[in-house]
Amino acid sequence: MSQTSNTTVSTGGLPSRRNTELAMLVFAVLIPVLAYANVGLAKEETLPTGMLGYGLGLGLLAGVAHLVVRRYAPYADPLMLPIATLLNGLGLVLIWRLDQEPTITTDALGGPLAPDQLVWSTVGVALFLAVLIFLKDHRILQRYTYISMVVALILLASPIFVGKEVNGARIWITIPGVGSLQPGEFAKIIIAVFFAGYLMVKRDALALASRRFMGLYLPRGRDMGPILVIWAISLMILVFETDLGTSLLFFGIFVVMLYVATERTSWIIFGLLLSASGAVFVANTNSHVGVRVHNWLNPLENEPPDSGNVTETAQSMFAFGSGGLFGSGLGQGFSRLIQGIGAKSDYILATVGEELGLTGLMAVILLYALLIERGMRTALAARDPFGKLLAVGLSGIFAIQVFVVAGGVTGLIPLTGMTMPFLAQGGSSVIANWALVALLLRISDTARRPAPAPAPSLDAEQTQVVRTT
């Protein structure tokens, strides 16, 4: 007589899809290389001399990353690495294309920035590899919940004491021999680890201990403490560093993860009210933030007064309008008219809109949306609550940052000074975002990995040893 197992645990795992990832990586490398050739033909009517080296370099980075994923995270999501590679490759092409404009490639503005961006991208991929090789299980991070908080706060506060002010914001520190780094880019990942660990422990108290009032579950006064502390810290960042983007990102991550952990809509409402009141207060007391809000409300005003120049926001909208549906073509736009190196950093999305049109802009936005969707899918598939919350937090970082940057460039919200992930010039940003993708891949590998084989009987199953690594 055959024995039938009554367990509900499935030992069947999802296919690894590593060959699918490799095939998509080929396209993720080929598309930027063709875009690179397109820019060269448009600007000089010849193929760029560095085209072969660029293609081989990008292909080498993608190939090494794929081999490490195949070896150390064989069940990881197959779409994330190709999307990150494609966005990083397109960003390099766009920065190089803007490097060809003499008016924004002066020595005073830092000269050509594409070579530096390629170096930072290589460092970012190296960190991506290190995370996958040395972090065998994302649940290890849970042990360092409060250490993560301390490290994140030190990183966030460091520009106040040892940083330098650039364009009105004090968010940079200079490391001798390395260059300028933005600690907030790394703090956003570490703070997500802290939030995931903290909310996993406190979520029941935050979700169940509340009073119902007008259809909303109001938290108790004692439970308001954490959100008020996070709100105060985000205001501190805004006041002392005048960094509107990091402040919004920092508070937004916490509110999103709090909502996912407790499923209470009231936290979203409280978060929005606190965020709006803080922003209004700082906009009326801090001149730098006030100027950004004023320019957002009056984009066509001269800046400086009587100069005849409109604001960067207005120039960005002119670029979008000039691009139309299909764009002017790579290398044939005029987004160089945006002041300083803004075209390579804050406003690089305007170059996409002008030279690739609405069609190209939507394609880029869809790439970000797909990356965020894969992160959320990873959160749904994760088998442990810490992994679920961490995946939500990391995906939320991407979603909020893309919304804040795209909203600022298109005039939907005031400009924040943040960079478009992978696309814009910025060493700290590209390194941190590669580490973020590595963490998501680690969580997805654990989620998609086949479950341990069930015990032959119910009694034996209750005492079986579950392998965690």
Side-chain angles (χ1 to χ4, degrees):
M1 181 178 178
S2 62
Q3 187 177 16
T4 303
S5 173
N6 57 1
T7 180
T8 58
V9 178
S10 171
T11 58
L14 295 172
S16 68
R17 303 292 189 191
R18 296 278 67 82
N19 291 333
T20 304
E21 179 185 82
L22 180 60
M24 287 190 292
L25 273 175
V26 172
F27 286 102
V29 172
L30 189 60
I31 291 172
V33 170
L34 292 177
Y36 190 67
N38 192 332
V39 174
L41 290 170
K43 301 296 292 182
E44 305 291 342
E45 297 184 351
T46 182
L47 292 175
T49 54
M51 181 177 167
L52 182 61
Y54 169 76
L56 290 176
L58 189 61
L60 181 64
L61 290 178
V64 172
H66 168 74
L67 290 176
V68 169
V69 171
R70 184 180 283 269
R71 170 67 178 83
Y72 292 96
Y75 293 96
D77 187 284
L79 284 178
M80 292 185 192
L81 179 58
I83 294 172
T85 303
L86 178 55
L87 287 171
N88 200 167
L90 288 175
L92 285 167
V93 171
L94 289 169
I95 295 168
W96 179 78
R97 172 262 173 277
L98 292 167
D99 278 347
Q100 310 310 305
E101 302 293 345
T103 55
I104 56 174
T105 315
T106 62
D107 292 338
L109 294 176
L113 296 178
D116 288 344
Q117 184 73 359
L118 183 58
V119 172
W120 291 121
S121 299
T122 305
V123 176
V125 173
L127 184 58
F128 169 90
L129 302 179
V131 170
L132 287 179
I133 291 172
F134 295 108
L135 184 64
K136 304 294 185 185
D137 191 332
H138 65 272
R139 286 168 290 190
I140 295 173
L141 298 174
Q142 190 182 345
R143 302 174 188 169
Y144 306 103
T145 296
Y146 291 97
I147 293 178
S148 301
M149 178 191 68
V150 173
V151 173
L153 291 179
I154 290 173
L155 288 174
L156 285 171
S158 58
I160 298 175
F161 305 103
V162 296
K164 61 179 181 180
E165 188 170 308
V166 179
N167 295 327
R170 194 179 184 85
I171 57 178
W172 299 90
I173 61 172
T174 301
I175 299 177
V178 176
S180 296
L181 290 176
Q182 191 175 343
E185 288 286 345
F186 302 98
K188 68 184 183 183
I189 300 175
I190 300 173
I191 205 72
V193 174
F194 164 66
F195 287 160
Y198 174 80
L199 292 174
M200 199 195 75
V201 176
K202 300 290 186 181
R203 60 178 177 168
D204 289 340
L206 293 170
L208 301 177
S210 56
R211 302 179 181 86
R212 189 177 176 84
F213 178 73
M214 295 181 66
L216 294 176
Y217 288 94
L218 301 180
R220 299 179 303 181
R222 74 186 72 168
D223 298 328
M224 288 287 289
I227 193 170
L228 291 177
V229 169
I230 301 299
W231 178 67
I233 294 173
S234 65
L235 276 184
M236 180 194 72
I237 298 168
L238 197 53
V239 171
F240 291 104
E241 302 181 10
T242 57
D243 186 3
L244 182 60
T246 301
S247 177
L248 284 174
L249 182 65
F250 182 73
F251 193 64
I253 297 167
F254 182 70
V255 172
V256 168
M257 294 179 72
L258 188 59
Y259 170 70
V260 171
T262 62
E263 299 180 3
R264 295 297 192 205
T265 310
S266 53
W267 286 116
I268 295 287
I269 296 174
F270 277 116
L272 290 175
L273 290 175
L274 288 172
S275 183
S277 60
V280 170
F281 170 74
V282 176
N284 285 289
T285 56
N286 184 283
S287 59
H288 178 71
V289 178
V291 167
R292 294 212 167 192
V293 174
H294 178 81
N295 289 343
W296 170 57
L297 295 173
N298 307 280
L300 294 177
E301 279 191 357
N302 290 345
E303 188 191 61
D306 302 325
S307 65
N309 297 324
V310 295
T311 63
E312 295 172 346
T313 302
Q315 293 169 5
S316 171
M317 287 190 278
F318 291 156
F320 283 120
S322 175
L325 189 58
F326 298 108
S328 60
L330 276 172
Q332 301 179 61
F334 294 92
S335 60
R336 61 176 179 271
L337 297 176
I338 297 175
Q339 300 171 5
I341 64 165
K344 299 179 184 179
S345 53
D346 301 14
Y347 289 100
I348 199 164
L349 209 59
T351 303
V352 176
E354 181 177 10
E355 302 196 350
L356 297 177
L358 181 63
T359 307
L361 183 64
M362 287 298 102
V364 170
I365 296 296
L366 280 176
L367 286 175
Y368 285 114
L370 189 55
L371 189 57
I372 295 163
E373 187 270 340
R374 301 307 295 187
M376 289 298 181
R377 183 183 287 265
T378 296
L380 290 174
R383 297 167 185 157
D384 62 294
F386 176 76
K388 285 181 182 294
L389 283 173
L390 183 56
V392 166
L394 297 175
S395 305
I397 289 172
F398 238 94
I400 294 172
Q401 191 162 347
V402 170
F403 169 77
V404 166
V405 177
V409 174
T410 56
L412 181 64
I413 61 174
L415 190 68
T416 61
M418 296 187 74
T419 57
M420 204 67 176
F422 290 119
L423 211 61
Q425 188 276 331
S428 311
S429 175
V430 73
I431 294 173
N433 285 317
W434 272 112
L436 188 153
V437 171
L439 282 175
L440 281 175
L441 283 177
R442 173 54 66 208
I443 299 171
S444 72
D445 175 61
T446 306
R448 291 164 53 89
R449 190 179 291 273
S457 67
L458 181 60
D459 293 338
E461 186 177 347
Q462 291 173 342
T463 58
Q464 68 178 328
V465 176
V466 178
R467 185 181 297 277
T468 59
T469 58

